[in-house]
Amino acid sequence: MPYIPFNRPALAGREFDYVRQAIDNMHLSGNGPFTRQCQTLLEQCLGVPRVLLTTSCTHALEMAALLLDVRPGDEVVLPSFTFVSTANAFVLRGARPVFIDVRPDTFNLDETKLENLITARTKAIVVVHYAGVGCEMDAILKIAGKHGVPVVEDNAHGLLGRYRGKSLGTFGALATQSFHETKNITCGEGGALVVNHPRYLDRAEIIREKGTDRHRFFKGQVDKYTWVDIGSSYLPSEIQAAFLYAQLEVRDEIQVRRRGIWEYYAEHLRDWSDSAGVRLPVVPAHCEQSYHMFYLVAPSLTRRQALIQHLAQQGINSVFHYQPLHLSGMGRQYGYRTGDFPVTERAGDCLLRLPFHNALTSGELERVVAAVASVRL
Ligand SMILES: *Cc1c(COP(=O)(O)O)cnc(C)c1O
């Protein structure tokens, strides 16, 4: 029985052609023609003023922290149910992470708990559109606006998703994307910073270029470039951008394929999930999801582990997801304890993700569904 991995990178079509072109261009460092093509495509697709490719979503988040001038003593509100970089990017600048629980339906941050957490020290609110289903942005932006706190969207899951018809990644002052191998569209390791508020446009380019005004030099605005601010090296090479462009170009085909996988799982597991006491993902009617993942919520940790075990015996790799950040070694150092965020803790214990990637075949899909549906929890 061939093994079915949780994720497998898939070529979309013209990756080899474009990487070869990038090499033929003899421009291998960043900011060449492929970087610009990727950025322009994303700017048009999202309808935003500026997208800057970065070496990862983690680095785009670090850029966001630098752009917002996050400093020691500041607080940043973010869900505990997220990837470590959502917190670390701000902690690196000396901020204290202030965690918030998630909603029981979408596992997005619970906007009803947000206002209580905002203090005079709150420097940013970071939202994560879990599984590419939009957070309740109307309520979140209202609270953020009232207190004058900028919102950053960690949109690693949500590229091409929408909330009330508007693209995810276009709500916050800044948003970040990931093109890691496990995401819908990839170049292995890569990311992007989406600059929605014009006040960050110029400085974002400086920070990405090691704190220099190199972008002004290339635009002919200065005759030599120099050190003007803090910054780092966040620009990917043209080889990565070339690979990425091949995927971005066929994003609609990729999304159609992923939608097919998601709907197949949802349709074929509905009856089983009802009888097994397992919950399937919830997508509110006003959210167009990005089809990033398909998860199950088991009734308990023991049953989740049994399900993972059962699937593993049939050669199927299903995986749990975020272990709550507030219960990590770092989280506990900030004084957090078990029981602080019950919904997050339940998601950490009970959620598992089924194989989901662009190269999943219909045969594999049928095998996964048959294996899951044969489990009596
Ligand atoms: C994948 C992911 C990241 C990190 O992305 P990289 O590109 O690997 O740095 C950050 N946040 C979330 C929510 C993610 O899923």
Side-chain angles (χ1 to χ4, degrees), residues 110-121:
D110 187 343
E111 68 283 355
T112 64
K113 303 206 160 84
L114 180 57
E115 192 152 22
N116 276 340
L117 296 175
I118 295 179
T119 71
R121 296 174 176 225

Side-chain angles (χ1 to χ4, degrees), residues 203-261:
R203 196 164 172 242
E205 304 227 31
I206 291 169
I207 286 172
R208 188 177 62 163
E209 277 284 19
K210 300 96 182 168
T212 72
D213 57 355
R214 199 160 186 263
H215 69 294
R216 290 184 197 136
F217 174 71
F218 281 111
K219 285 178 192 152
Q221 295 166 349
V222 288
D223 59 7
K224 55 183 179 300
Y225 70 87
T226 181
W227 185 18
V228 294
D229 202 336
I230 55 171
S232 191
S233 181
Y234 293 131
L235 183 62
S237 84
E238 274 286 287
I239 297 176
Q240 282 163 290
F243 192 103
L244 182 64
Y245 191 68
Q247 299 236 326
L248 281 173
E249 225 180 23
V250 294
R251 63 198 175 281
D252 293 338
E253 287 158 46
I254 290 174
Q255 290 303 98
V256 165
R257 170 171 291 192
R258 295 184 79 97
R259 179 181 179 160
I261 295 170

Side-chain angles (χ1 to χ4, degrees), residues 336-359:
Y336 290 101
R337 285 188 305 249
T338 305
D340 283 347
F341 303 118
V343 184
T344 297
E345 291 170 27
R346 195 167 161 269
D349 282 350
C350 301
L351 185 146
L352 86 150
R353 297 172 291 159
L354 297 179
F356 202 121
H357 55 79
N358 299 345

Side-chain angles (χ1 to χ4, degrees), residues 21 32 45 51 87 90 94 110 129 136 162 167 174 195 214 228 248 250 262 274 333 341 348 354 375:
Q21 256 185 57
C45 178
V51 174
F90 297 90
D110 187 343
H129 304 297
E136 284 307 323
R162 288 166 184 268
S167 294
L174 299 163
V195 185
R214 199 160 186 263
V228 294
L248 281 173
V250 294
W262 198 95
D274 285 345
Q333 280 183 35
F341 303 118
L354 297 179
V375 178

Side-chain angles (χ1 to χ4, degrees), residues 79 81-82 100-112 127-137 140 157 162-163 168 262 279-290 292-297 321-322 343-344 346-348 351 353:
F81 190 63
T82 183
I100 179 168
D101 208 354
V102 288
R103 296 168 54 108
D105 54 357
T106 56
F107 297 135
N108 282 330
L109 75 77
D110 187 343
E111 68 283 355
T112 64
V127 306
V128 179
H129 304 297
Y130 187 71
V133 175
C135 294
E136 284 307 323
M137 293 314 296
I140 292 165
H157 300 181
R162 288 166 184 268
Y163 170 82
L168 300 181
W262 198 95
R279 178 167 89 61
L280 299 186
V282 173
V283 184
H286 55 279
C287 294
E288 280 170 56
Q289 63 157 319
S290 65
H292 176 57
M293 71 170 86
F294 193 90
Y295 63 80
L296 305 173
V297 188
H321 209 187
Y322 304 129
V343 184
T344 297
R346 195 167 161 269
L351 185 146
R353 297 172 291 159

Side-chain angles (χ1 to χ4, degrees), residues 56-58 61 82-83 85-86 128 154 156-157 178-180 183 189-190 322:
S56 65
C57 181
T58 301
L61 286 161
T82 183
F83 190 65
S85 296
T86 322
V128 179
D154 178 344
H157 300 181
S178 176
F179 302 115
H180 183 264
K183 304 304 196 295
E189 301 276 358
Y322 304 129

Side-chain angles (χ1 to χ4, degrees), residues 45-47 153 155 158 160-163 165-171:
C45 178
L46 297 172
E153 295 171 80
N155 195 31
L160 306 173
R162 288 166 184 268
Y163 170 82
K166 187 168 155 38
S167 294
L168 300 181
T170 67
F171 290 91

